[in-house]
Amino acid sequence: MIGVMGAGAFGTALAIALGKAGHTVNLWCRNADQARDMAELRCNRAYLPNAPFPESLHVTQDLALAAKGTALLIAVPLQSMRAAIADLGAPSAALVACCKGIELHSGLGPTRVLEDTLPGITSAVLTGPSFAADIAIGRPTALTLACADNVTGAVLQQALTTPTLRLYRTSDTVGAELGGALKNVMAIACGAVIGAGLGDSARAATMTRGFAEMQRIGAALGARPETLSGLSGLGDLALTCTSDLSRNYRLGLSLGTGEKFDPSITVEGAATAHAMLRIANEKGLDVPITRTVTELLDGSTTITDAIDALMTRPLKEE
Ligand SMILES: NC(=O)C1=CN([C@@H]2O[C@H](COP(=O)(O)OP(=O)(O)OC[C@H]3O[C@@H](n4cnc5c(N)ncnc54)[C@H](OP(=O)(O)O)[C@@H]3O)[C@@H](O)[C@H]2O)C=CC1
Ligand SMILES: O=C(CO)COP(=O)(O)O
């Protein structure tokens, strides 16, 4: 039995994939009307209307029920996760964060927020290149499951792998979380480049220098280089910086074109850019793309000035 907390796009997609693979899945939803609607229609009309629920997927508002079983997958936006899990108590299930980002006020990533809020629990993070819509309809997807404890990690890898969802395992939670968090910042930057009409060459340069920035940050914060070159880093960077399906990329597009962006849409990269800039300033790290993204978001620079500033930095070795 597996629980999923959060009936948004990603939680629902994971619940469907795991249900189709034969697991009994309890999908917890905080909103009573949405829960009733999903139970009656057998689909999540609000977030994933084209993906019917398998029979073994049960909608619940009983969090204690969702927290029983092998794992509880927590698929709420990172900035809301601390509040969302506050009432979990001492769950028997291993907690698997399925979110990407750095908490604004604490500077912590997903597993650290879980451990900080619920001391003594076993935590892991599931991250990597995957759109909810692809997972929900059974398109092949490969993700990283990171757990500091190798025994628990192996149990979770086995339990959560399905015929269409292939999980690679690492104990490097720092690297996996940084990859997932920072690729969203780079996706905003790439969206801005394309939105402003600067072209694919400029996007390739932004992705590549963005990856160099991710590696620099990773080295300073204790990530393993091979984790950042894997699915959770380079893999997710490639997906998110090149697809209109990405909300972070679309926010960037709107910064580039000057169009409005719906503030109710989940975009993890915005808060993460600000959290990362603070950490980088404290550690004396050079993060020009992250800094530029915060300035574009705050409106303290324009895309034209930002590009001028990036292009006229002192020349350096690659
Ligand atoms: N969508 C995708 O393709 C992918 C998303 N992710 C990651 O998954 C995480 C969740 O994103 P996603 O599912 O897309 O986001 P959505 O906006 O689709 O859904 C967010 C869900 O979280 C719920 N929620 C928000 N705040 C709380 C809270 N305080 N307590 C309980 N529930 C809460 C929302 O409930 P309500 O509807 O009531 O507001 C909603 O069910 C993000 O970190 C994202 O980066 C990772 C890979 C792919
Ligand atoms: O994380 C994702 C793909 O791996 C989803 O990206 P967005 O949150 O930008 O939509």
Side-chain angles (χ1 to χ4, degrees):
M1 192 162 76
I2 289 168
V4 179
M5 178 186 209
F10 198 40
T12 305
L14 290 169
I16 291 172
L18 292 164
K20 276 188 190 160
H23 291 282
T24 297
V25 181
N26 293 308
L27 174 61
W28 179 86
C29 170
R30 68 169 167 176
N31 180 302
D33 289 338
Q34 191 197 352
R36 208 173 307 113
D37 198 65
M38 289 195 297
E40 276 172 26
L41 290 178
R42 302 298 298 160
C43 84
N44 185 343
R45 154 161 76 157
Y47 287 98
L48 268 184
N50 300 320
F53 291 174
E55 266 181 31
S56 56
L57 192 167
H58 307 283
V59 179
T60 184
Q61 288 214 279
D62 180 353
L63 191 52
L65 173 65
K68 289 190 180 124
T70 317
L72 174 61
L73 310 189
I74 304 174
V76 302
L78 177 74
Q79 306 302 329
S80 308
M81 189 170 77
R82 190 180 285 272
I85 61 170
D87 296 332
L88 259 181
S92 55
L95 301 189
V96 183
C98 301
C99 47
K100 298 174 180 174
I102 299 172
E103 198 180 40
L104 195 49
H105 76 272
S106 68
L108 299 177
T111 56
R112 300 310 184 280
V113 173
L114 290 176
E115 288 160 12
D116 197 40
T117 316
L118 304 169
I121 52 114
T122 306
S123 71
V125 60
L126 183 63
T127 184
S130 63
F131 287 126
D134 289 336
I135 290 183
I137 60 170
R139 286 180 169 159
T141 310
L143 296 178
T144 300
L145 185 281
C147 182
D149 178 69
N150 278 321
V151 175
T152 306
V155 170
L156 290 170
Q157 179 185 30
Q158 196 68 43
L160 302 176
T161 290
T162 78
T164 56
L165 195 60
R166 178 173 168 79
L167 303 195
Y168 289 77
R169 183 168 63 84
T170 177
S171 57
D172 180 15
T173 53
V174 173
E177 292 183 349
L178 277 177
L182 296 175
K183 66 86 189 177
N184 280 332
V185 178
M186 303 313 160
I188 295 174
C190 286
V193 163
I194 295 297
L198 302 178
D200 289 338
S201 304
R203 184 211 339 236
T206 307
M207 278 177 72
T208 310
R209 294 312 302 164
F211 186 57
E213 196 164 308
M214 289 166 65
Q215 288 175 306
R216 199 154 55 241
I217 294 166
L221 299 184
R224 287 184 217 141
E226 64 268 27
T227 313
L228 285 170
S229 313
L231 291 163
S232 54
L234 184 58
D236 214 352
L237 182 76
L239 178 71
T240 318
C241 292
T242 59
S243 172
D244 285 356
L245 288 182
S246 159
R247 297 160 296 190
N248 286 278
Y249 179 76
R250 290 205 305 273
L251 169 62
L253 282 179
S254 75
L255 292 172
T257 58
E259 284 163 21
K260 283 212 177 331
F261 190 81
D262 178 352
S264 71
I265 293 175
T266 298
V267 179
E268 296 279 31
T272 295
H274 287 95
M276 190 64 243
L277 181 61
R278 201 182 63 231
I279 294 169
N281 285 340
E282 284 163 12
K283 300 213 172 272
L285 290 171
D286 188 26
V287 292
I289 300 179
T290 302
R291 179 182 302 282
T292 302
V293 168
T294 63
E295 290 169 357
L296 287 172
L297 289 165
D298 295 346
S300 60
T301 190
T302 62
I303 186 85
T304 313
D305 289 348
I307 294 297
D308 280 350
L310 287 171
M311 292 301 282
T312 54
R313 298 172 76 231
L315 296 176
K316 53 197 279 194
E317 288 185 9
E318 190 171 28

